[in-house]
Amino acid sequence: MSGKVVAVAGATGVVGREMLRVLEDRNFPVKSIKLLASERSVGKTLKFKGEDLPVELLSDDSFNGVDIALFSAGGGTSKRFAPSAAKAGCVVVDNSSAWRMDPEVPLVVPEVNPGDIQKHKGIIANPNCSTIQMVVALKPLHDVAKIKRIVVSTYQAVSGTGQKAIAELEGQIAKLMNGKEAECKVYPYQIAFNCLPQIDVFLDNGYTKEEMKMVNETKKIMGDDSIRVTATTVRVPVFYGHSESVNIETEKKLSVEEVRQILASAPGIMVEDFPEKKVYPMAINAAGQDDVFVGRIREDESIENGINMWIVADNIRKGAALNAVQIGEELIRRNLLRVL
Ligand code: NAP
């Protein structure tokens, strides 16, 4: 396979650095790589395959000759630069929320809706991290039993907010343990030893933007507007790995054993469900892993056809970097690079 010219926009961030690791780990066919970030990072270097490479300023001219650009530099930066990148002939896989609900832009999780990649016009969106891990686990069940309703509550790690939030939790723990006051810059309140029932801004309907992302993105990825979804998203003092309590109501009844079997044979999923041995998914074990882990599978005894489960994944890996690189691999497999 011939190598591709790859650009990573936001290469110095939490997601960008993980993208470099995932490209290496999966032996993505890289001919050359461009590391792009803001003027703050010009002069820095990052390691790729053992080599120190310079970080360059992201600009409209960054994408000439680039085959694929992985963006993780915030929504405003994607809105500003993704169109010029696509115009230059490269395919953009964007991690921000800027393009996700654009009807012209496919929103893709390769285990769920790989075929949607086919419709791209230069930009493909990577879904929200909490949505990705949930749909990976729910799509195989939807195919068998048709999901009518999803009720999800999330327990999301601070790494989902980027480098500054990781530093804020570390700093607050150190200060509080030394009898000092916690400093709050990234989150509105102390996150150390606390849970914040607010991720992103509040909307007119009383939900947060993160909660409505889960509702709307789930329907788009599953290709089914009839699924009813309601979400409560919570930030917890965990560094890496999002956890989710998910309740589904299905048209056809599923037993716990059936759910375990369906999920065990589905791509990208690891069933960890031995309650008698106290085995269940946990963020500390999912961190650094590629799979979506599912456990605590139980029948919801309050309704006719309901299942409860606990879904955990590394938000930076499957929730962002890995999913984006998998989209890149799918583009190569389908010969869909180079739109011009
Ligand atoms: P981060 O650690 O704060 O990194 C932000 C990156 O964007 C840095 O490389 C930064 O460069 C770059 N950047 C910011 N403004 C820029 C500009 N004007 N021009 C060029 N580069 C700019 O954040 P992150 O967690 O990696 O997240 C990055 C994006 O991925 C966000 O859109 C986020 O919503 C999305 N995302 C994150 C997650 C997650 O779990 N963290 C999951 C899915 C999607 P400098 O270092 O030069 O400032």
Side-chain angles (χ1 to χ4, degrees), residues 10 12-15 37-38 40-41 72-74 95-96 159-160 162-163 315-316 320:
T12 50
V14 175
V15 174
S38 76
R40 290 178 290 271
S41 299
S72 67
N95 263 270
S96 79
S159 53
Q163 199 63 61
N315 53 301
I316 303 299

Side-chain angles (χ1 to χ4, degrees), residues 54-247:
V55 178
E56 298 170 40
L57 179 66
L58 170 63
S59 76
D60 285 321
D61 301 326
S62 299
F63 302 98
N64 295 328
V66 173
D67 296 306
I68 178 166
L70 306 176
F71 268 67
S72 67
T77 312
S78 289
K79 273 263 181 240
R80 166 72 183 79
F81 291 103
S84 50
K87 211 167 163 203
C90 85
V91 181
V92 173
V93 181
D94 181 42
N95 263 270
S96 79
S97 57
W99 304 96
R100 289 182 191 149
M101 295 312 295
D102 186 322
E104 298 288 299
V105 174
L107 182 65
V108 175
V109 178
E111 291 87 345
V112 178
N113 59 338
D116 286 359
I117 286 177
Q118 211 77 31
K119 299 180 235 161
H120 88 80
K121 294 180 176 153
I123 302 175
I124 297 170
N126 209 50
N128 169 266
C129 41
S130 337
T131 310
I132 292 179
Q133 67 184 68
M134 185 173 82
V135 297
V136 167
L138 296 192
K139 179 63 166 45
L141 303 175
H142 187 55
D143 288 344
V144 174
K146 190 158 179 23
I147 295 172
K148 294 199 299 190
R149 181 168 185 249
I150 303 168
V151 182
V152 53
S153 300
T154 69
Y155 305 67
Q156 297 183 220
V158 295
S159 53
T161 320
Q163 199 63 61
K164 285 186 183 138
I166 296 172
E168 178 146 311
L169 176 57
E170 279 170 349
Q172 288 184 354
I173 293 170
K175 285 211 159 142
L176 291 165
M177 296 307 281
N178 284 292
K180 294 184 186 146
E181 232 172 80
E183 243 184 280
C184 305
K185 284 188 187 151
V186 176
Y187 298 117
Y189 301 101
Q190 176 187 316
I191 181 64
F193 314 114
N194 200 10
C195 298
L196 305 178
Q198 179 194 350
I199 298 184
D200 213 327
V201 295
F202 282 101
L203 302 173
D204 288 344
N205 64 359
Y207 285 82
T208 62
K209 211 168 165 190
E210 182 84 352
E211 288 161 349
M212 294 316 295
K213 281 178 197 169
M214 289 198 80
V215 172
N216 298 325
E217 292 180 23
T218 298
K219 294 176 187 207
K220 180 166 175 178
I221 300 160
M222 304 269 261
D224 189 344
D225 262 345
S226 72
I227 303 177
R228 285 172 289 156
V229 187
T230 188
T232 302
T233 57
V234 180
R235 188 74 66 193
V236 295
V238 164
F239 285 104
Y240 296 97
H242 288 354
S243 305
E244 298 177 344
S245 162
V246 177
N247 173 273

